[in-house]
Amino acid sequence: MRVYSGEFTKIYDPSVVDEVTGDVWPWYINDHTIIKGPDGWHLFGITHEEPADPLNEKNLAHAIGEKLTQGMWKKLPYALRYSPADNETHLWAPHVILVDGLYYMYYCAGSPFGNDTYRIHLATSPDLYNWTRHPENPMVIDGFDARDPMVFRVGDEWVMYYTCNASPKGGCYCVACVRSKDLIHWDGKRNVFIDPIVGTCAGPCESPFVIKHGKKYLLFIGPRNLYSETGVFVSDDPFHFNIMNQVGTIPSHAAEIVEDDDGKLYITRCGWGEGGVYIAPLYIED
């Protein structure tokens, strides 16, 4: 199997332009999510003025595009602002799914209690514009800096993948998962990918994204060797991916996989200093 991308084109620039002077203040989008709504495609993501300042990323960007590949998307007001009253210290890496007419946004809320107790929260919306935090937050508590949730349906249950370490205090970088029947109560944590590299904070297993292709499962994670490098790993089992089974390397940071209305797959890239969000066709050769 071989997985690769086509050429990337820019679809969104979060920078701020002074309407009087024309001066431009560059902003970035980092980990993000894209979902189809009744009025177009919606993007939600980490945002902040350049240069990178991850611990002060306290708002989630919101943009809309008529088509996935239409030129530049339109900036909308922030989707969500951090809430210290809800023990949120910043807002990272949203992931949105639609289930039974309700949109579920899972995101990393940081933690005021330490890096080993990072919190993954949930907010819901009927329309992608008005979000309400769930009263049973947090959904998950884990470390070191457990973050970047992605929710995927496997059989009759939901699986939430996220990045963390072998131990909440540190250790090998991992992709872990928990499972749920109702999207609210999550348990059964297990590590589904373990990298031999040891550390804390940022690592090579961030931004996990899982898709099914035929009878196989593909895991996208990064940054691997470079900041803008996503590795693709194949497995027969959505709960076990091996570092030896890499089938692709894509020049992307915080990649998201999106299926268009015609069934074509696309992959995105973004990040600090990248100038916005880009999208490219995704190709899978068996």
Side-chain angles (χ1 to χ4, degrees):
M1 178 180 284
R2 178 184 175 221
V3 181
Y4 60 100
S5 71
E7 182 179 354
F8 282 91
T9 58
K10 193 170 185 176
I11 60 171
Y12 181 58
D13 186 340
S15 298
V16 176
V17 180
D18 189 304
E19 295 181 356
V20 177
T21 66
D23 292 339
V24 178
W25 287 271
W27 281 58
Y28 58 82
I29 297 287
N30 211 331
D31 297 66
H32 59 287
T33 185
I34 292 177
I35 188 168
K36 182 68 177 293
D39 57 348
W41 290 92
H42 289 253
L43 179 148
F44 303 91
I46 295 172
T47 194
H48 194 274
E49 187 176 5
E50 296 279 12
D53 192 6
L55 295 183
N56 284 307
E57 295 165 347
K58 300 182 183 298
N59 304 290
L60 291 181
H62 187 190
I64 188 170
E66 182 180 347
K67 298 179 181 179
L68 271 180
T69 55
Q70 73 164 59
M72 298 302 288
W73 292 24
K74 177 184 177 182
K75 182 184 294 187
L76 297 173
Y78 291 136
L80 204 65
R81 296 178 183 271
Y82 89 116
S83 172
D86 293 292
N87 292 317
E88 297 180 351
T89 57
H90 43 258
L91 297 183
W92 287 351
H95 180 72
V96 179
I97 60 172
L98 173 64
V99 180
D100 296 331
L102 189 65
Y103 295 96
Y104 292 72
M105 178 193 286
Y106 298 90
Y107 61 95
C108 172
S111 171
F113 310 114
N115 300 84
D116 57 339
T117 57
Y118 255 45
R119 303 160 65 92
I120 294 176
H121 282 188
L122 168 65
T124 60
S125 172
D127 57 10
L128 292 171
Y129 290 91
N130 301 287
W131 295 92
T132 302
R133 287 172 172 82
H134 198 279
E136 294 191 46
N137 280 333
M139 300 286 109
V140 174
I141 298 178
D142 201 358
F144 191 95
D145 287 9
R147 60 202 182 280
D148 303 356
M150 182 266 170
V151 177
F152 181 66
R153 185 78 172 177
V154 177
D156 63 349
E157 64 183 358
W158 296 97
V159 181
M160 181 194 294
Y161 298 92
Y162 61 95
T163 186
C164 61
N165 289 85
S167 161
K169 296 290 186 181
C172 292
Y173 291 106
C174 300
V175 175
C177 79
V178 287
R179 297 189 250 182
S180 175
K181 295 288 188 180
D182 62 3
L183 292 166
I184 307 300
H185 304 97
W186 300 85
D187 56 24
K189 179 194 170 181
R190 61 189 295 182
N191 293 327
V192 302
F193 180 94
I194 300 176
D195 194 288
I197 297 175
V198 175
T200 55
C201 299
C205 297
E206 296 185 340
S207 311
F209 203 102
V210 175
I211 65 172
K212 188 174 184 182
H213 176 74
K215 295 183 179 181
K216 302 287 187 179
Y217 294 88
L218 295 172
L219 169 67
F220 298 74
I221 54 172
R224 300 302 292 169
N225 298 306
L226 302 173
Y227 178 75
S228 190
E229 181 179 310
T230 291
V232 189
F233 300 85
V234 65
S235 176
D236 296 322
D237 182 353
F239 301 109
H240 178 73
F241 294 88
N242 192 303
I243 196 170
M244 301 302 294
N245 295 330
Q246 185 165 351
V247 292
T249 300
I250 297 174
S252 169
H253 181 84
E256 293 284 302
I257 314 306
V258 189
E259 183 175 346
D260 206 348
D261 296 327
D262 58 5
K264 292 181 180 178
L265 293 177
Y266 291 85
I267 186 168
T268 63
R269 72 173 176 89
C270 62
W272 301 332
E274 295 292 311
V277 180
Y278 303 74
I279 196 165
L282 180 69
Y283 302 109
I284 303 173
E285 295 181 353
D286 295 307

